[in-house]
């Protein structure tokens, strides 16, 4: 039996985007953790190459959005050529998302996954953390008070006792296999995709090129900040899935009808199989799952990596609160909020995969369903508001993503709302000039909307973008969670409701 732990230590197994994001979230809150990765060093290969706007917002809160953007290309054009030679161009930012003060990143970003991980590792180092590479989980035991993980590295084993363990170790999660959590779904051997990182001659790097052919699609997507393209080709039953240059070149020429495009030796390859699964639960005692360990998707729509990053953002602040004494029941909201999102994403990616297979090509459509700005938790126990029934159709309710707003004047100059939300803490947005900011807990950042900014925490909504986004009365209070979602809206300026909300999660 594992001895109870009083260390406040959190173990994270898996140092991909999900595990790294979670580690950064814990590190910036001063939570002790260890981050283990079975691989001997950073992973290579482009893999999940699309970063969605909601993930970019999370990265901005962590202080790495500019680094990620510097190595990527937003709104890359998608040029699709049909069997008859007809060409369609897609991938543009939807008109309804352009030039909006509430959306700082309207477009998905193309960048190799290893670049995302690199930026997260750099930020983690700045926060005093590091990845322990070459450490594999070989055993796990837990009690009511602690979890013990047996980690093997270099032939030697270490037993690490902690308060919590989070499995971020992918679809074949070793952590999950040491729990009672089921992983329902299916593996479709008939649906495969050959993916490789290659150098390409004879093709521009301005667009993501796709060719539709009766035997399947082939695509070449330039990977910004590298000299490579990502090669993708659907492989039907009976078709050759060999991960070698000759086969890649043959597939490209046959499906594109072009012999002028020459591929170089692949620098990374994989043969992907459609594996669509969802964990029964996200928690078993003191073990939690996040990212692909909890849900695996088809790559259609670019949802998998992003869903994992957002799992980590949701779990991070809650786990930090629990290690500081908040009720363990707070962690119940993690599964309650995130599992329905994963189920919906599985349906979306499966739908996109079916469309791609039907049309022998890959979708060029981008909308709110794929960029994840409409993800929310209105039905969560952590979402409370007093907006009455006539407001039921309001664009903004508790549980929604907190919108950004530009053109705010402060004593330090002009700011965006998201500039003022950084720091990973609760923020109380008060449109009530009578609200006593001194009554808020010390760790809650209070922003008061005023007509003239005379003190820190005062903001003037000069362009009315804040009012447009939040639709307040002159008494509205909005409590924004550390992960950027609205926890509470009180149009009646119910200060007791704010206090009660915060007391319930501490």
């Amino acid at each position: 039996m594992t001895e109870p732990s009083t260390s406040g230590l959190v173990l994270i197994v898996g140092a991909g985007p999900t595990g790294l994001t979670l580690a950064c979230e814990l590190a910036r809150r001063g939570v002790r953790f260890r981050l283990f990765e079975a691989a001997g060093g950073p992973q290579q290969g482009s893999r999940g190459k699309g970063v969605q706007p909601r993930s970019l917002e999370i990265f901005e809160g962590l202080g790495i959005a500019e680094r990620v953007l510097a190595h990527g290309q937003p709104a890359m054009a998608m040029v699709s050529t049909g069997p008859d030679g007809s060409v369609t161009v897609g991938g543009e930012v939807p008109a309804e998302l352009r030039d909006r003060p509430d959306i700082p990143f309207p477009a998905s970003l193309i960048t190799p996954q290893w670049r995302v991980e690199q930026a997260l590792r750099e930020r983690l180092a700045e926060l005093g953390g590091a990845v322990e590479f070459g450490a594999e989980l070989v055993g796990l035991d837990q009690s009511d008070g602690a979890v013990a993980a047996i980690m093997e590295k270099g032939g030697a084993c270490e037993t690490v006792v902690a308060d919590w363990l989070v499995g971020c170790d992918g679809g074949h999660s070793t952590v999950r296999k040491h729990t009672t959590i089921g992983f329902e779904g299916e593996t479709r051997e008939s649906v495969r995709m050959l993916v490789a990182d290659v150098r390409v001659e004879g093709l521009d790097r301005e667009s993501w090129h796709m060719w539709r052919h009766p035997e399947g699609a082939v695509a070449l997507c330039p990977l910004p900040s590298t000299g490579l393209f990502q090669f993708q080709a659907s492989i039907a039953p009976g078709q050759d899935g060999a991960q070698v240059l000759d086969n890649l070149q043959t597939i490209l020429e046959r499906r594109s009808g072009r012999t002028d495009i020459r591929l170089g030796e692949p620098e990374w390859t994989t043969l992907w199989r459609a594996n669509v699964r969802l964990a029964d639960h996200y928690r078993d005692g003191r073990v939690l799952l996040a990212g692909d360990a909890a849900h695996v998707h088809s790559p259609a729509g670019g949802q998998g990596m992003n869903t994992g990053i957002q799992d980590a953002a949701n779990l991070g602040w809650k786990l930090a609160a629990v290690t500081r004494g908040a009720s363990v029941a707070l962690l119940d909201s993690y599964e309650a909020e995130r599992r329905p999102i994963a189920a919906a994403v599985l349906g979306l990616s499966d739908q996109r995969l079916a469309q791609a297979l039907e049309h022998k090509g890959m979708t060029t459509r981008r909308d709110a369903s794929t960029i994840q700005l409409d993800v929310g938790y209105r039905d969560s126990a952590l979402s409370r508001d007093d907006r009455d029934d006539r407001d039921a159709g309001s664009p903004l309710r508790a549980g929604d993503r907190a919108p950004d707003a530009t053109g705010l004047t402060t004593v330090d100059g002009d700011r965006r709302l998201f500039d003022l939300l950084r720091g990973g803490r609760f923020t109380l947005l008060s449109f009530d000039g009578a609200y006593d900011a001194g009554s808020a807990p010390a760790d809650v950042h209070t922003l008061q909307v005023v007509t003239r900014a005379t003190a820190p925490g005062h903001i003037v909504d000069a362009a009315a973008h804040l009012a447009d986004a939040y639709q307040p009365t002159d008494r509205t209070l909005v409590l924004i969670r550390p992960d950027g979602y609205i926890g509470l809206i009180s149009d009646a300026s119910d200060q007791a409701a704010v206090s009660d909300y915060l007391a319930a999660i501490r």
Side-chain angles (χ1 to χ4, degrees), residues 317-329:
W317 71 269
K318 297 173 182 178
L319 199 51
V322 170
T323 63
R324 294 196 183 101
S327 171
V328 172

Side-chain angles (χ1 to χ4, degrees), residues 271-287:
L271 182 62
W272 173 87
R273 291 171 174 80
N275 197 16
V276 181
R277 296 180 184 274
L278 179 63
D280 293 344
H281 297 286
Y282 280 19
R283 178 182 163 206
D284 177 11
R286 289 188 168 266
V287 177

Side-chain angles (χ1 to χ4, degrees), residues 17 39 50 62 71 128 131 157 180 185 194 222 238 264 272 306 314 323 327 360 369 378 418 422 427 441 444 451 494:
L62 288 174
H71 290 117
V131 181
C157 288
T180 62
L194 181 56
W272 173 87
N306 294 276
N314 184 288
T323 63
S327 171
K360 304 295 184 182
S369 65
R378 288 192 180 189
F418 279 11
R422 293 178 187 175
T427 298
V444 175
T451 56
D494 189 343

Side-chain angles (χ1 to χ4, degrees), residues 45 91 93 112 120 165-166 218 325 375 409 459 494:
V93 178
L120 285 164
L165 186 150
V166 186
V218 64
V375 168
T409 301
I459 54 176
D494 189 343

